Amino acid sequence: MNEFKLYAHAPIVEAVLDIRVKLADDVTLESLSKVGAGVEDAYPIRQDRMQFESELTLGTDIAMATRQSKTGYFFFSTDERQSFQARLDGFTFSRLAPYTGWESFSAEARKLWEHYQSVVSIDAVTRLAVRYINRLDLPPLVDFKEYLQTLPEVSPALPQGLSGYFMQLQIPQDDIQGMLVLSQAMLPPSSPSVISVLLDIDLFRDTKIPSDNEAIWKFYEELRARKNFIFESCLTDKARELII
C-alpha cells in the first residue's frame, strides 16, 4: 500500500522520531546543555531528563534502593505540543496532537537532529525508530471486529464481552531489517458515549544503520510508508468512516 491517506480526524495522540547514538567519550551533560542555544525562540522551556533505577536486595531483611541520575534535557515549545530530547544516548523529537503531517514533522525533526549533531560528537548511530500513538474512539457496546482487524482471540467457550484488554505483538519486518512492536489496549473513555482503544505503532531498526543523514532520512521515508501500511491494515472501513 503506497497511498498515503489523509484523515480530517486523524487519531494520532503523539508522533515520535527517535535516534539512538553512541557519543564520543568527551561528551558530558554540560555539552548537552548547550544544545538549547540557537533554538531558544522555538523551544524556550528546558527541563532535566532524569532516569530512575531500583535495586532489590534479598537477605535477612529485604531492602529497596532507588537511584536517580540525569541523562540529558527536554526542550519544549511554548505551547508544549512539540519537544525534543538531547540525551547521552541519543535524540528524540515529539509532536502532540494535532499532528500536522509527515512533511512538517520530519522536517522539524531533521533540523533539530542536525543541530544536535553540530553540538555533540557522535561516534555511531545505533537505532532508528518512529512511534505513532493513536486513540480510536468507537461507539459503545461495539463488536471490536467491526472496527479492528488485529484483536485478541477469545476462546468460543468463554464469554465474548471484554471490559478491558492489553495486547502486544512483536512482528519482524525482515524486508527493511526492522521490528514492529504493535500494542493495543482499552483506555479510559474520552467521553461517556465512546469506547477508547489505544493503537500504538512502534517501528525501529537497530542493525546495519545507515551512516549518513541522507541515507538515514531515506530510511525514515520507508518507516513512514510502513507505518501507514500497518495502520491501514489494523482498521476496517467502518473504522475509517469515523476519522475521515
Side-chain angles (χ1 to χ4, degrees):
M1 181 179 295
N2 296 318
E3 180 184 357
F4 299 146
K5 294 186 178 181
L6 299 176
Y7 293 103
H9 302 95
I12 298 168
V13 175
E14 183 176 11
V16 179
L17 186 150
D18 180 74
I19 303 177
R20 302 281 177 87
V21 302
K22 182 181 183 303
L23 294 178
D25 292 339
D26 60 351
V27 176
T28 64
L29 286 169
E30 183 179 356
S31 307
L32 288 176
S33 69
K34 298 175 183 176
V35 174
V39 295
E40 302 96 334
D41 290 346
Y43 299 90
I45 305 168
R46 189 182 88 176
Q47 294 180 6
D48 294 345
R49 185 184 188 277
M50 306 301 296
Q51 178 173 296
F52 296 88
E53 296 181 355
S54 297
E55 182 178 346
L56 181 66
T57 303
L58 302 177
T60 305
D61 297 314
I62 299 176
M64 174 72 77
T66 301
R67 297 185 299 273
Q68 65 176 8
S69 58
K70 187 188 298 186
T71 59
Y73 300 93
F74 292 99
F75 298 90
F76 293 91
S77 60
T78 302
D79 63 6
E80 298 190 11
R81 292 190 181 276
Q82 291 194 164
S83 66
F84 73 95
Q85 298 176 36
R87 305 185 311 275
L88 292 171
D89 69 346
F91 161 90
T92 301
F93 175 64
S94 170
R95 168 73 196 188
L96 300 179
Y99 180 67
T100 54
W102 172 257
E103 286 72 19
S104 59
F105 173 75
S106 61
E108 183 71 2
R110 181 168 183 172
K111 180 183 74 174
L112 292 168
W113 159 247
E114 291 178 353
H115 177 66
Y116 174 86
Q117 284 181 302
S118 71
V119 176
V120 298
S121 180
I122 298 171
D123 283 346
V125 176
T126 61
R127 186 178 186 270
L128 303 175
V130 292
R131 183 178 181 185
Y132 279 73
I133 301 170
N134 299 275
R135 181 192 189 109
L136 297 166
D137 289 332
L138 308 179
L141 303 176
V142 68
D143 181 350
F144 287 112
K145 290 182 180 179
E146 295 181 25
Y147 294 88
L148 299 169
Q149 297 197 68
T150 303
L151 282 169
E153 188 71 28
V154 180
S155 165
L158 297 174
Q160 297 299 298
L162 292 175
S163 62
Y165 74 90
F166 175 80
M167 177 183 72
Q168 186 175 91
L169 306 173
Q170 297 183 24
I171 306 174
Q173 307 292 296
D174 293 333
D175 60 322
I176 59 171
Q177 299 177 306
M179 177 66 73
L180 163 66
V181 179
L182 180 66
S183 302
Q184 271 191 30
M186 289 181 66
L187 299 171
S190 58
S191 76
S193 61
V194 301
I195 295 174
S196 296
V197 175
L198 167 77
L199 178 60
D200 185 342
I201 299 169
D202 187 359
L203 274 168
F204 66 89
R205 177 176 174 179
D206 57 9
T207 60
K208 299 181 180 178
I209 305 299
S211 59
D212 63 87
N213 279 341
E214 291 305 319
I216 285 173
W217 247 258
K218 182 179 179 181
F219 180 67
Y220 271 118
E221 292 293 333
E222 292 186 57
L223 287 183
R224 176 219 186 175
R226 185 58 50 89
K227 179 270 300 182
N228 285 346
F229 174 77
I230 293 163
F231 178 77
E232 295 292 341
S233 298
C234 288
L235 303 185
T236 66
D237 286 341
K238 200 166 183 177
R240 294 184 185 95
E241 291 172 2
L242 299 174
I243 58 177
I244 58 175

